[in-house]
Amino acid sequence: MSLFGYPAKVVHYHSETDEWGRPLPPTATEKSAKVEEEQRLIRNARGEEVQIAYTIHLEGPNAVGFDDYFEYVNALGVTIRCDVAHIEVRKFIGTDDVKKVIVYGRPQNL
């Protein structure tokens, strides 16, 4: 609800697959992040326009997939779940070291 986002504890539900390629139940991990809540249009990896409502900034390298989702409690005390719509990896200039991972999420009703 802030123009520049606010710090939040997000719970990252990451899904793995077994040796047959079937999804396993997601595992929950709590992470520190910066969350921005605003609706806007972005282009995903296929060039399609996607409407997003949440931007989650995770510091450092993080394994995020399109089957993952995030939950957090916003400033009003409401639990928000967002599904991953697009992932952006930012690196330090001139290196392959990951600075942060930005997750663009779609709202999901609980």
Side-chain angles (χ1 to χ4, degrees), residues 11-82:
V11 181
H12 177 198
Y13 292 91
H14 182 65
S15 298
E16 297 283 338
T17 55
D18 63 7
E19 61 273 1
W20 294 89
R22 297 176 297 201
L24 296 171
T27 57
T29 307
E30 187 172 296
K31 299 179 178 182
S32 296
K34 183 179 94 169
V35 177
E36 296 174 6
E37 297 177 338
E38 67 173 339
Q39 292 192 2
R40 61 184 193 186
L41 286 173
I42 63 164
R43 292 204 179 270
N44 64 8
R46 292 178 288 218
E48 304 165 341
E49 285 191 347
V50 178
Q51 182 176 2
I52 61 150
Y54 306 101
T55 306
I56 302 171
H57 299 259
L58 301 167
E59 293 297 321
N62 289 282
V64 179
F66 287 102
D67 294 330
D68 298 358
Y69 62 94
F70 292 84
E71 284 184 355
Y72 72 97
V73 178
N74 68 2
L76 299 175
V78 178
T79 301
I80 304 291
R81 174 185 164 161
C82 23

Side-chain angles (χ1 to χ4, degrees), residues 73-92:
V73 178
N74 68 2
L76 299 175
V78 178
T79 301
I80 304 291
R81 174 185 164 161
C82 23
D83 293 336
V84 176
H86 185 65
I87 303 164
E88 184 178 316
V89 177
R90 299 254 175 109
K91 297 181 178 183
F92 288 107

